[in-house]
């Protein structure tokens, strides 16, 4: 089969959901899932280390890959524990894939950025696409540098690379790992399993969030949009709803009346406070028609329904 799509980081929070949806749309034969750890997928799986440029090149050639989704990264909280490793992993992997496109071996790349590109000097409400950035985390620094390199490769070499600044992502099929927004996934599982949750952020810490269904749809809509519609080659602001742990807990209580939440902020609090509270994604709307579907209420209902259903099956 020709023109396959390769997903690197296929075992991660976004990767596992994206592979599932790409298989549904294009068929299992069209997708190659890759990760450092062996995973369960409907499509072909390759064990692949994003730091190994030659291995990526071989995989691309072996399967005649034309499109790459590069999702392997160390997220904000983990990256603070291993700053140099995070910088290397987050940047080198990107160069390996950008260079394959520069050499015209592949045609198109998706690479995720994040709200972590913003910092404490950024306007926190309705943060514009173009504004002061100055990220203070290693993760944010790597994402901002990556954005600059994506735009550079587009301008200088014509590389068709597309990117989104994801907010915190919430889904029931996959677990997050090492992020500051992870509480918003854990809380649902603990609410179902224990009826209580101890949150590592303060109750009033508002962050931009998005349901995974919206995030996957945004990613595929961006990738399927005509080239003329993609006017930003660094990374697009993307948004759905913003809320605090207390607001999310109140929404969960509408479904599980006895649910309780306590707060024990840790080092992730400072990271959260350096990020915006809400994001202006109007350029994504104007350029390629983006619009989120899930509100906080709709997302909470859907999460609890699916997590409940999974538990009943066990
Ligand atoms: N969700 C990510 C994190 O918390 C941000 O991109 O690290």
């Amino acid at each position: 089969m020709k023109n396959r799509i390769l997903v690197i980081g296929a075992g991660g929070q976004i990767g596992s959901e994206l592979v599932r949806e790409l298989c549904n749309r294009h068929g299992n034969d069209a997708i190659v899932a890759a990760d450092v750890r062996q995973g369960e997928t409907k499509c072909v799986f390759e064990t692949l280390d994003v730091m190994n440029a030659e291995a990526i090149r071989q995989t691309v050639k072996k399967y005649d890959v034309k499109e790459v989704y590069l999702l392997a990264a160390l997220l904000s909280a983990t990256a603070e524990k291993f700053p140099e490793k995070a910088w290397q992993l987050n940047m080198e992997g990107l160069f390996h894939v950008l260079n394959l496109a520069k050499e015209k071996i592949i045609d198109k790349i998706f690479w995720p950025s994040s709200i972590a590109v913003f910092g404490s000097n950024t306007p926190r409400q309705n943060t514009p696409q173009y504004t002061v950035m100055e990220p203070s985390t290693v993760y944010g620094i790597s994402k901002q540098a990556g954005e600059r390199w994506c735009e550079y490769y587009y301008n200088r070499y014509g590389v068709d690379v597309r990117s989104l600044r994801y907010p915190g992502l919430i889904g029931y099929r996959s677990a997050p790992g090492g992020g500051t927004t992870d509480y918003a996934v854990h809380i649902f599982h603990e609410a179902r399993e224990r009826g209580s949750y101890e949150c590592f952020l303060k109750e009033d810490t508002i962050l931009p969030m998005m349901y995974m269904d919206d995030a996957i749809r945004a990613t595929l809509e961006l990738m399927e949009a005509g080239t003329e519609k993609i006017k930003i080659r660094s990374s697009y602001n993307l948004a759905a709803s913003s809320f605090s742990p207390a607001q999310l807990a109140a929404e969960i209580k509408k479904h599980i009346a006895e649910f309780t939440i306590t707060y024990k902020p840790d080092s992730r609090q400072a990271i959260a406070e350096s990020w915006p509270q809400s994001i202006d994604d109007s350029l994504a709307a104007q350029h390629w028609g983006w619009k989120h579907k899930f509100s906080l209420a709709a997302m909470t209902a859907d999460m609890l329904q699916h997590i409940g259903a999974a538990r009943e099956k066990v």
Side-chain angles (χ1 to χ4, degrees):
M1 178 150 188
K2 287 200 171 293
N3 299 342
R4 284 195 176 94
I5 298 171
L6 172 64
V7 180
I8 302 176
Q13 187 194 10
I14 304 170
S16 54
E17 300 251 14
L18 190 67
V19 165
R20 196 172 170 278
E21 187 54 29
L22 285 169
C23 287
N24 288 344
R25 290 187 184 209
H26 301 280
N28 299 350
D29 290 349
I31 314 301
V32 181
D35 205 292
V36 269
R37 277 176 294 275
Q38 180 67 42
E40 287 282 309
T41 49
K42 292 194 278 184
C43 59
V44 174
F45 184 90
E46 284 279 329
T47 306
L48 187 64
D49 181 354
V50 73
M51 301 293 282
N52 187 338
E54 191 48 37
I56 299 176
R57 185 178 292 262
Q58 294 301 331
T59 306
V60 161
K61 290 201 166 152
K62 180 174 170 189
Y63 294 103
D64 200 6
V65 167
K66 289 290 168 222
E67 200 168 308
V68 175
Y69 291 76
L70 172 57
L71 304 170
L74 286 196
L75 293 196
S76 58
T78 311
E80 290 308 300
K81 292 188 193 137
F82 311 103
E84 280 183 38
K85 184 180 169 199
W87 173 256
Q88 279 166 1
L89 193 136
N90 293 359
M91 296 309 300
E92 282 181 29
L94 176 59
F95 279 116
H96 296 157
V97 176
L98 285 173
N99 285 333
L100 290 174
K102 179 182 158 189
E103 291 174 38
K104 313 269 181 241
I105 295 170
I106 58 172
D107 297 335
K108 214 189 234 186
I109 300 168
F110 177 80
W111 176 79
S113 186
S114 160
I115 53 168
V117 292
F118 299 113
S120 45
N121 291 323
T122 303
R124 293 188 81 193
Q125 309 297 339
N126 212 23
T127 302
Q129 175 73 35
Y130 302 108
T131 185
V132 175
M133 297 174 89
E134 301 182 4
S136 53
T137 62
V138 181
Y139 177 68
I141 295 170
S142 73
K143 288 295 180 189
Q144 197 198 15
E147 286 191 6
R148 298 287 85 225
W149 280 110
C150 287
E151 193 185 272
Y152 184 89
Y153 268 67
Y154 172 75
N155 287 334
R156 177 105 197 247
Y157 308 116
V159 166
D160 188 356
V161 54
R162 304 176 182 204
S163 178
L164 297 170
R165 290 173 180 157
Y166 290 127
L169 299 183
I170 300 166
Y172 58 88
R173 289 194 193 90
S174 58
T180 301
T181 57
D182 295 11
Y183 90 85
V185 179
H186 297 150
I187 192 172
F188 285 100
H189 294 276
E190 299 276 303
R192 274 279 182 241
E193 277 158 35
R194 282 182 238 279
S196 64
Y197 178 64
E198 184 179 271
C199 185
F200 58 74
L201 295 182
K202 289 186 195 161
E203 61 179 308
D204 57 354
T205 314
I206 297 174
L207 285 169
M209 299 279 185
M210 179 176 282
Y211 200 37
M212 189 60 85
D213 292 40
D214 272 341
I216 298 296
R217 188 169 53 79
T219 308
L220 298 177
E221 285 178 8
L222 176 79
M223 288 298 275
E224 285 160 11
T227 320
E228 72 292 349
K229 293 189 174 156
I230 310 301
K231 298 187 174 82
I232 293 173
R233 294 293 182 159
S234 50
S235 189
Y236 275 95
N237 274 11
L238 190 74
S241 54
S242 288
F243 51 81
S244 65
Q247 288 166 325
L248 178 55
E251 199 58 44
I252 291 173
K253 267 170 102 62
K254 292 182 188 166
H255 301 264
I256 305 172
E258 62 283 9
F259 176 66
T260 56
I261 183 164
T262 51
Y263 300 94
K264 198 177 171 200
D266 64 17
S267 58
R268 288 168 278 193
Q269 182 64 32
I271 299 178
E273 283 174 12
S274 77
W275 290 351
Q277 295 189 330
S278 60
I279 300 285
D280 174 5
D281 63 353
S282 52
L283 289 179
Q286 279 170 37
H287 294 178
W288 45 275
W290 164 246
K291 192 168 179 2
H292 76 273
K293 282 191 186 148
F294 282 83
S295 62
L296 168 60
M299 176 197 76
T300 303
D302 208 59
M303 279 295 280
L304 288 172
Q305 191 195 340
H306 282 101
I307 293 170
R311 271 164 46 84
E312 277 147 31
K313 263 190 248 154
V314 179

